[in-house]
Amino acid sequence: MESLKKKLEELNEKNIYPFHMPGHKRSNEAGIMAGYFDIDITEIDDYDNLHDAEGIILDAEKRANRLYGADETHFLVNGSSCGILSAISCAVSDGGTILAGRNCHRSMFNAAYLKNLSIEFLIPENRIISKDRNIMVPGIITPDFVRKAFEKNRDIEAVFVTSPTYEGFSSDVEEIARIAHENDAILIVDAAHGAHFGLDKRLPRDAVSQGADIVIHSVHKTLAAMTQTALIHVKGNRVNIDRLRRYLRIYQSSSPSYVLMASIDSAMEDIEKRGEEVFSKLLYYREKVEKLLNDTEYIKVYGIGENDDPGKLLIYSNEPGITGQMIYDILRREYGLALEMVGDGYALAIITGYDTEDGIARLIDAVKKIDDEIRSGYIDKYLDKDFEKKKIPENGEDPEGEDLGSDGKITLPKKAISLKTAWDKESEKVVLDEASGRVAGDFVNLYPPGIPLIIPGEEISNSLIFEIKRYINEGYNVQGICEGKEYMITCVKK
Ligand SMILES: Cc1ncc(COP(=O)(O)O)c(C=O)c1O
């Protein structure tokens, strides 16, 4: 099968002159981006149409479809975000109820806002990364939580689960699918981080083969495709496919980028041809990291048997004062290594089969050096001396003793009004210390988001204020809090 990229290159080879969009006309004098325009076209004769694919785009989608074994697969050029918006809009009626992991991506909340949905939350199990430091990340959604949610609420139309998670934990999708289907609900799996799952027998199983009705993959996150590329797959007959296609037309650009589509196809073609080699490399790199960093004392890598995704390296320290933010900053500043993100107590590196030996060796070397420096007492260079002091916010201990998320339990804020009502209402900035009892007018998230600390429509408690201040004091990037003379939070206007 001819790849989409080859077909695009033929345009130049055949000397076909463009009297059509885009305006750059593939000219090599069209500004500093000129070198990138060669295969950037719009829908023209022989080049199919993403929104009604029947030619080369359909062929490319079928290639992806064969790899994942779905009944229908669509290319997405607006990221997994537009796939999630489309999937939820298709699966849940206006004002209906969705059962969703609290740790899900912002686009689930955006869909809930647009469709005025009521959200029943599933709290993921906490996965303990370090007992000594009380470092935890959102882990899996257990089927039992899902079963109990259906016992409490018979109106749930769809279940939305993130699997694998950002940190590489996968839920028992097969069992969750069974429970959802027993209750006539559609299971949507946000597998944005798991586009490589199921593509090799040594990797964890993919959600499509485990019975999910709709699965969304970000191709750009873990495979060799450009940023913004994703796939949506449908399996079985529970999904109204015409409605899904309609929403894809609504949420995707009417001028989908052929460069992005060709890059999805190229990623699929590479896996089709060289998948075994690519994933052998990934597994080899992971093994190498674990083996060579096995005896570090202070900087640790969470083990391969402990998270499911070999591509996710959680790097943390049991040493008080060495935070995830510090690990991230040291690796970037001192060693030129840019990690994916920082969580509460750890930093996350993504590795793939497209990494280089040299890149992996640099990471191993850097972690060993930092570990050595800490061992030889050189830690002061890095240590945040105010760390322990900072851990106690000015207003003392957590006033309600709830300490959201850090005692192994997560206490969700109380819902006061719906997400849609809250987001549509006028809002105002309120001094964080004076916001207790007010209704949140926007999200507060640790970036990149794990579990939103609060969503619009929920009530701000003293415990939440305490927790937000702790994150700020520890240097985390807390989105939704403005810094000025005082910290401010967005509240619904009274
Ligand atoms: C779990 C999860 N789902 C969906 C998305 C959205 O993906 P995209 O950036 O491809 O739109 C992200 C992005 O980070 C994510 O982490």
Side-chain angles (χ1 to χ4, degrees):
M1 174 191 150
E2 195 179 24
S3 73
L4 203 44
K5 175 158 183 287
K6 273 239 146 9
K7 184 88 183 151
L8 293 168
E9 284 166 350
E10 276 173 17
L11 275 175
N12 297 310
E13 285 156 17
K14 288 182 182 161
N15 194 21
I16 296 175
Y17 188 88
F19 282 108
H20 55 71
M21 296 184 277
H24 57 64
K25 302 293 181 122
R26 305 202 291 274
S27 159
N28 55 16
E29 289 172 6
I32 57 168
M33 289 293 286
Y36 296 94
F37 294 152
D38 274 6
I39 59 163
D40 180 38
I41 60 159
T42 187
E43 291 90 348
I44 52 173
D45 282 357
D46 293 339
Y47 281 82
D48 211 0
N49 180 337
L50 175 66
H51 295 294
D52 203 3
E54 50 188 23
I56 55 167
I57 295 175
L58 182 64
D59 288 345
E61 288 178 331
K62 280 186 178 162
R63 189 206 304 269
N65 186 268
R66 279 196 302 277
L67 280 171
Y68 293 98
D71 292 337
E72 183 162 323
T73 294
H74 293 275
F75 279 10
L76 303 174
V77 292
N78 295 9
S80 284
S81 304
C82 79
I84 292 168
L85 289 174
S86 306
I88 295 175
S89 302
C90 162
V92 191
S93 41
D94 279 357
T97 303
I98 188 165
L99 177 64
R102 178 76 174 186
N103 59 329
C104 60
H105 183 254
R106 185 71 176 259
S107 47
M108 191 292 294
F109 294 99
N110 290 342
Y113 165 76
L114 290 169
K115 296 275 285 188
N116 193 16
L117 306 185
S118 173
I119 313 170
E120 288 285 333
F121 283 111
L122 290 161
I123 308 295
E125 257 186 11
N126 268 328
R127 190 60 73 100
I128 297 169
I129 305 294
S130 160
K131 259 201 181 128
D132 298 354
R133 289 283 307 284
N134 206 19
I135 302 172
M136 280 182 262
V137 300
I140 62 164
I141 301 283
T142 67
D144 209 37
F145 291 164
V146 179
R147 195 173 296 111
K148 284 188 180 131
F150 276 109
E151 280 164 15
K152 274 205 292 197
N153 190 332
R154 311 299 307 170
D155 297 330
I156 296 163
E157 291 176 65
V159 181
F160 185 93
V161 170
T162 305
S163 179
T165 60
Y166 216 140
E167 292 83 5
F169 299 105
S170 26
S171 300
D172 182 351
V173 171
E174 196 157 20
E175 187 57 16
I176 294 173
R178 217 180 46 73
I179 298 164
H181 297 160
E182 265 172 23
N183 289 281
D184 291 327
I186 287 176
L187 174 62
I188 304 166
V189 176
D190 174 359
H193 290 276
H196 53 310
F197 278 30
L199 295 181
D200 186 289
K201 53 184 180 314
R202 295 164 293 175
L203 293 172
R205 279 179 75 195
D206 168 66
V208 176
S209 70
Q210 292 183 74
D213 302 288
I214 306 180
V215 177
I216 299 111
H217 283 134
S218 277
V219 192
H220 69 95
K221 292 197 196 318
T222 56
L223 296 175
M226 285 181 175
T227 301
Q228 235 175 274
T229 56
L231 296 167
I232 187 165
H233 311 277
V234 181
K235 182 101 184 184
N237 52 14
R238 289 184 179 81
V239 177
N240 180 330
I241 203 76
D242 291 331
R243 200 187 304 148
L244 180 69
R245 288 188 194 141
R246 186 193 323 140
Y247 278 110
L248 288 173
R249 285 188 202 109
I250 292 172
Y251 292 126
Q252 298 223 78
S253 166
S254 63
S255 313
S257 160
Y258 276 76
V259 179
L260 295 185
M261 290 189 280
S263 113
I264 303 177
D265 189 40
S266 148
M268 297 298 112
E269 188 183 20
D270 198 42
I271 295 303
E272 203 173 52
K273 292 187 174 155
R274 291 193 318 119
E276 197 178 341
E277 185 189 330
V278 170
F279 297 124
S280 294
K281 264 197 176 168
L282 165 64
L283 295 167
Y284 159 72
Y285 289 148
R286 175 71 190 229
E287 235 183 272
K288 195 166 169 177
V289 167
E290 295 219 1
K291 209 161 128 200
L292 296 180
L293 294 179
N294 188 31
D295 56 356
T296 50
E297 213 174 316
Y298 297 99
I299 306 286
K300 301 277 183 197
V301 177
Y302 198 59
I304 194 162
E306 296 166 307
N307 71 347
D308 306 294
D309 184 353
K312 297 291 170 74
L313 300 176
L314 287 137
I315 307 175
Y316 66 97
S317 175
N318 286 327
E319 189 69 10
I322 304 276
T323 62
Q325 187 69 53
M326 288 171 73
I327 296 171
Y328 178 95
D329 290 343
I330 295 166
L331 287 171
R332 193 180 176 100
R333 201 180 52 229
E334 312 273 328
Y335 298 93
L337 301 171
L339 268 53
E340 166 68 15
M341 66 114 154
V342 181
D344 186 9
Y346 64 95
L348 177 75
I350 295 184
I351 59 169
T352 74
Y354 298 96
D355 272 298
T356 60
E357 282 271 5
D358 178 53
I360 299 293
R362 280 176 61 186
L363 179 65
I364 294 170
D365 209 41
V367 170
K368 278 185 162 181
K369 278 193 180 134
I370 300 170
D371 195 66
D372 281 347
E373 286 185 334
I374 298 174
R375 187 179 303 113
S376 55
Y378 199 38
I379 183 176
D380 276 8
K381 171 174 155 193
Y382 301 129
L383 198 60
D384 180 352
K385 295 189 192 66
D386 293 333
F387 177 75
E388 285 307 326
K389 227 184 323 158
K390 278 181 178 177
K391 279 197 81 165
I392 314 291
E394 301 114 54
N395 62 345
E397 298 297 332
D398 176 0
E400 284 159 26
E402 281 176 0
D403 203 12
L404 292 181
S406 60
D407 60 353
K409 285 187 272 126
I410 291 171
T411 317
L412 287 186
K414 219 164 67 202
K415 178 173 160 183
I417 53 177
S418 79
L419 169 64
K420 179 154 180 67
T421 311
W423 236 0
D424 281 344
K425 276 198 166 203
E426 291 252 356
S427 65
E428 61 184 347
K429 301 267 187 277
V430 175
V431 174
L432 184 59
D433 274 327
E434 294 164 13
S436 181
R438 296 288 301 265
V439 175
D442 212 337
F443 288 84
V444 178
N445 280 311
L446 266 196
Y447 186 79
I451 292 188
L453 298 171
I454 195 158
I455 71 168
E458 291 178 341
E459 203 176 289
I460 300 166
S461 67
N462 284 323
S463 289
L464 181 90
I465 296 170
F466 174 89
E467 200 66 13
I468 291 174
K469 285 166 74 175
R470 179 175 77 83
Y471 285 125
I472 294 172
N473 285 334
E474 287 181 22
Y476 292 102
N477 180 359
V478 184
Q479 287 190 328
I481 299 292
C482 321
E483 276 186 57
K485 265 206 322 242
E486 290 168 294
Y487 294 116
M488 312 284 276
I489 186 168
T490 306
C491 298
V492 167
K493 234 180 186 162
K494 278 185 181 165

